[in-house]
Amino acid sequence: MRRAANLFDLIYEPENLRAAFHKAARGRRGQAVVSQFSANLDERIAEISTAIREGTFPIGRFQQFLIRDPKERVITAPCFDERVLHHAIMNVCEPILDRWLIDDTFACRTGKGREAAILRALHFAGSSRWFLKLDVRKYFDSVPHASLMAFLERRFKDRKLLQLLDQVIRAFRGDLAVGLPIGSLTSQHFANFYLGWLDRFVKETLHVRGYVRYMDDMILWHKDAFQLRVIHQRCCDFACETLSLELKPANVQRTTVGAEFLGCRIWPTHVELNRRSKRRWRNRVRVLERAERLGLISQLELQHRLTALTAFAKAAGACSWRFRQSVLQQVVVDDP
């Protein structure tokens, strides 16, 4: 694939920045910083456009906070102006990165997503005896900046664009030269792109047909357990030598025991929510019901949030109807 050129000027075009603002503001219209930006939209866009063009846009203004659902993670959220910049960059760069990825990677891609990944996994589980889960140890914290930039240079040859991408990447833990912040739009796409090289190794060098990746969650299927262990070792070597990443020990199992993937358990014939997802679903429903009962949210908002939770539980036809009904009935029984 030829390297893309002449993209930097597209990033700071007012129309691109305006589209980036609307994407960045989605779900945040009530925040003061968004309202202030919107009140002087043309002026703020002109300021950001000039700063990007002249290379004076301040990058690296983050807020960090800790979440513990589903596991403990530090979220590094950029300030709103930088969020607009990230969307402006990805409006231009995402299509180029996306065209390079293989079909069987599903995160951060239009027309793909979690449900499509689960369906594809179900397809492979139905025709294979064994599966192997590939896990990267502390993936986002382990991506080396220099290697990521070297791979980006294989896709883009616009020097000003590459300098901007380098600034964005090194704004986080630049002193260590490793790691991408969880909570940043560019990080999602860069992390997805970086593991694309492992995708191509698996598909083009190892010729594995049954393979699905969603960000750093990967599963491979094969008729032979021994071959999967060989594949695991080859992948470990490639990840270490080419990507400077460490894969966890091999986890080869029969497909009949069910593969844990994206909050579900994938069987050869059907999909179910896994235990952790059921526990989280039950707890969230109870929290929402209590919030509505105390007047913290409206009945309409409760219905909207329950609809979103139900969509998660029903992904790819997950067999969750009985479970959902039992939780909802218990909520009614517990309601004083």
Side-chain angles (χ1 to χ4, degrees):
M1 180 184 291
R2 295 179 60 186
R3 293 191 299 163
N6 303 317
L7 299 177
F8 179 73
D9 293 351
L10 301 178
I11 292 173
Y12 61 77
E13 283 188 353
E15 285 308 308
N16 183 48
L17 289 172
R18 188 179 299 274
F21 160 74
H22 289 296
K23 289 182 178 180
R26 194 173 298 153
R28 298 181 173 84
R29 294 286 181 176
Q31 296 179 5
V33 65
V34 179
S35 299
Q36 293 169 4
F37 196 108
S38 180
N40 302 285
L41 186 58
D42 291 339
E43 180 181 342
R44 296 300 300 277
I45 285 178
E47 291 173 356
I48 292 176
S49 177
T50 299
I52 295 172
R53 184 177 66 252
E54 296 180 353
T56 59
F57 187 96
I59 296 175
R61 294 167 292 166
F62 301 113
Q63 289 183 336
Q64 292 188 316
F65 53 92
L66 187 67
I67 65 169
R68 293 185 172 86
D69 185 17
K71 60 183 178 181
E72 187 170 288
R73 293 181 296 174
V74 175
I75 302 299
T76 304
C79 70
F80 186 73
D81 282 13
E82 193 160 339
R83 193 181 295 273
V84 172
L85 170 66
H86 290 179
H87 278 283
I89 291 172
M90 296 320 303
N91 285 347
V92 173
C93 296
E94 179 184 352
I96 290 116
L97 298 178
D98 186 79
R99 283 197 298 270
W100 181 80
L101 294 172
I102 67 169
D103 286 342
D104 283 330
T105 184
F106 292 85
C108 306
R109 304 183 71 186
T110 302
K112 298 281 188 177
R114 173 177 174 265
E115 183 169 349
I118 293 171
L119 280 173
R120 188 64 167 159
L122 179 61
H123 166 75
F124 288 128
S127 59
S128 304
R129 294 180 59 192
W130 301 88
F131 72 88
L132 162 68
K133 287 206 68 176
L134 288 183
D135 294 304
V136 181
R137 197 177 299 278
K138 296 183 178 179
Y139 177 49
F140 274 75
D141 287 338
S142 303
V143 177
H145 296 171
S147 297
L148 173 58
M149 280 306 305
F151 286 140
L152 287 170
E153 288 174 2
R154 298 189 186 186
R155 303 272 66 81
F156 305 103
K157 65 178 180 180
D158 188 324
R159 299 313 306 175
K160 288 185 177 180
L161 171 62
L162 289 168
Q163 289 171 4
L164 178 60
L165 298 183
D166 188 60
Q167 282 183 277
V168 170
I169 290 167
R170 296 183 189 278
F172 180 74
R173 295 172 58 178
D175 53 333
L176 300 176
V178 64
L180 295 172
I182 298 174
S184 168
L185 175 70
T186 51
S187 293
Q188 295 175 34
H189 287 282
F190 292 154
N192 200 37
F193 166 74
Y194 194 67
L195 274 182
W197 300 88
L198 179 58
D199 294 342
R200 289 185 171 269
F201 176 74
V202 170
K203 300 294 287 187
E204 297 172 3
T205 301
L206 302 182
H207 304 291
V208 176
R209 177 177 173 273
Y211 174 77
V212 174
R213 179 171 71 85
Y214 190 95
M215 195 55 74
D216 56 330
D217 287 334
M218 296 162 279
I219 307 186
L220 299 85
W221 289 265
H222 203 279
K223 63 182 180 181
D224 189 314
F226 175 77
Q227 284 300 318
L228 280 179
R229 291 188 176 90
V230 172
I231 288 168
H232 177 267
Q233 187 58 54
R234 296 283 304 277
C235 288
C236 285
D237 294 342
F238 178 86
C240 178
E241 296 167 8
T242 305
L243 304 177
S244 299
L245 299 175
E246 180 185 356
L247 298 184
K248 295 180 182 179
N251 181 15
V252 177
Q253 298 185 61
R254 290 184 179 273
T255 55
T256 51
V257 306
E260 296 273 342
F261 188 55
L262 303 181
C264 293
R265 185 173 285 273
I266 313 293
W267 306 88
T269 56
H270 64 285
V271 179
E272 295 181 1
L273 292 179
N274 63 17
R275 290 182 180 180
R276 176 184 286 181
S277 292
K278 287 181 178 179
R279 183 172 62 250
R280 292 176 63 203
W281 202 91
R282 182 184 296 110
N283 292 340
R284 288 187 178 185
V285 168
R286 288 175 174 172
V287 168
L288 288 174
E289 186 277 334
R290 190 178 300 117
E292 190 273 336
R293 181 157 35 88
L294 295 174
L296 300 177
I297 62 174
S298 66
Q299 179 69 32
L300 180 60
E301 186 173 357
L302 172 64
Q303 293 175 3
H304 285 324
R305 295 194 183 186
L306 286 178
T307 298
L309 284 174
T310 300
F312 174 88
K314 293 169 63 177
C319 301
S320 62
W321 185 86
R322 291 182 184 275
F323 163 72
R324 288 184 282 114
Q325 289 301 111
S326 68
V327 172
L328 295 175
Q329 288 172 5
Q330 187 63 43
V331 166
V332 172
V333 170
D334 291 342
D335 191 2

